[in-house]
Amino acid sequence: MIQDLHSHTYYSFCGKDSPEAVIKNAIANGIETVGISDHYYGIVMNRNGVLYRSDEEKISMHTSALKRYYEHIKLLSDKYKDYIKVWCGVEIATLDLGYTLLADGVDVSMFDYCLIEHISNEETTVSDVFDFAAYCGCEKTGIAHTNLPSYIALKNYDMDIFFKKMAEQGIFWELNVNYDSIHNYNEHKYVKDFFDDDKILDAVKKSGVKMSVGFDGHRLEDYDISRVKDACYRLEELSIPMVR
């Protein structure tokens, strides 16, 4: 299966293209499942910033914005259902930059999946990723662009137990194959190392944890389908299940 579950559109502060353009590009490149996963804070805030008079107003405004985004992606999912499977996701930051965090009381469980980012950063607001995933409440939750072996070692966790718990809780691990101008053409080393590390491959296979592939695209002119397909094919060759 060829999938790309990490795509940004103009709903994200950093994105450029429309959701429909991203979906059309995915179809043209032979992708079977594409996930639109815009940043939570990009969806809920306008580009000039938002001032709130109360927490209740903040919850209402964020919820309305998320609903509009969700309905937009779902309309496109139905429009192109004969050509591609479209998932509506949301990427949730765990670094507090003053506007980035999931607001208390805002429900994101409607989304097909969510991606959690920044958990390995020293300043993350999340102390337990399993509790946070449960709090988000999405049917599927992924850990985005994270070197999990390093994170597991830093936290003094047992790798086998950690991956098994991920599998039991339905949390998948993203292989982020990004290589674009927004990220200064930097590649994630953990992705390059993944396929050559027998210890990690063995732990993943034994646990049953599922993987995903995402280009983390922000500009269609930077999109490189070969990186996506290569990762998907290699996972299939190793009989490592991808999230479905």
Side-chain angles (χ1 to χ4, degrees):
M1 178 178 68
I2 307 301
Q3 65 168 222
D4 182 351
L5 299 187
H6 199 152
S7 301
H8 292 285
T9 75
Y10 56 49
Y11 277 102
S12 294
F13 281 101
C14 48
K16 173 186 174 184
D17 305 289
S18 71
E20 187 159 20
V22 170
I23 293 168
K24 287 182 176 180
N25 180 70
I27 294 170
N29 279 291
I31 293 173
E32 297 167 76
T33 303
V34 64
I36 308 296
S37 54
D38 281 298
H39 289 291
Y40 168 82
Y41 57 84
I43 298 168
V44 301
M45 296 180 68
N46 68 39
R47 308 233 170 205
N48 296 318
V50 179
L51 296 177
Y52 303 102
R53 291 190 294 272
S54 67
D55 288 341
E56 290 76 14
E57 184 178 14
K58 183 176 184 178
I59 292 171
S60 176
M61 293 176 71
H62 283 210
T63 300
S64 295
L66 290 169
K67 184 179 179 182
R68 288 195 298 271
Y69 165 75
Y70 177 83
E71 290 176 347
H72 184 184
I73 305 305
K74 284 301 181 182
L75 282 172
L76 293 171
S77 175
D78 186 63
K79 179 178 180 178
Y80 291 100
K81 64 183 179 182
D82 294 332
Y83 305 95
I84 194 171
K85 183 180 292 185
V86 179
W87 289 1
C88 181
V90 59
E91 187 170 17
I92 299 174
T94 64
L95 283 183
D96 187 358
L97 301 180
Y99 58 90
T100 50
L101 298 182
L102 175 64
D104 290 340
V106 175
D107 184 6
V108 295
S109 63
M110 73 183 84
F111 293 104
D112 297 322
Y113 69 107
C114 63
L115 295 175
I116 300 172
E117 60 176 342
H118 305 141
I119 66 165
S120 60
N121 191 291
E122 291 182 357
E123 298 179 1
T124 182
T125 58
V126 169
S127 59
D128 187 305
V129 68
F130 298 105
D131 286 346
F132 187 71
Y135 172 74
C136 291
C138 293
E139 180 181 354
K140 302 177 182 69
T141 300
I143 298 177
H145 46 70
T146 299
N147 185 336
L148 275 184
S150 293
Y151 173 78
I152 291 168
L154 181 66
K155 294 286 190 177
N156 292 316
Y157 295 144
D158 178 278
M159 184 178 293
D160 290 334
I161 293 175
F162 190 89
F163 280 134
K164 189 173 187 297
K165 190 171 181 179
M166 284 180 64
E168 291 172 347
Q169 197 162 318
I171 301 174
F172 60 91
W173 181 21
E174 176 193 80
L175 290 183
N176 189 296
V177 297
N178 177 268
Y179 188 74
D180 72 354
S181 59
I182 294 296
H183 299 93
N184 296 315
Y185 298 102
N186 291 319
E187 298 180 82
H188 290 287
K189 187 176 184 300
Y190 82 91
V191 177
K192 293 195 289 184
D193 293 343
F194 176 82
F195 292 105
D196 297 317
D197 193 319
D198 291 337
K199 181 180 179 180
I200 296 173
L201 292 175
D202 183 60
V204 167
K205 288 181 178 180
K206 286 194 306 183
S207 69
V209 68
K210 294 182 179 179
M211 307 291 297
S212 72
V213 174
F215 187 75
D216 199 359
H218 294 71
R219 303 283 188 277
L220 287 181
E221 58 263 32
D222 288 337
Y223 197 74
D224 186 351
I225 186 59
S226 67
R227 298 177 65 83
V228 174
K229 287 185 174 180
D230 179 66
C232 290
Y233 289 146
R234 295 181 76 177
L235 287 173
E236 287 190 338
E237 288 171 0
L238 291 167
S239 297
I240 295 175
M242 287 183 281
V243 63
R244 297 175 182 272

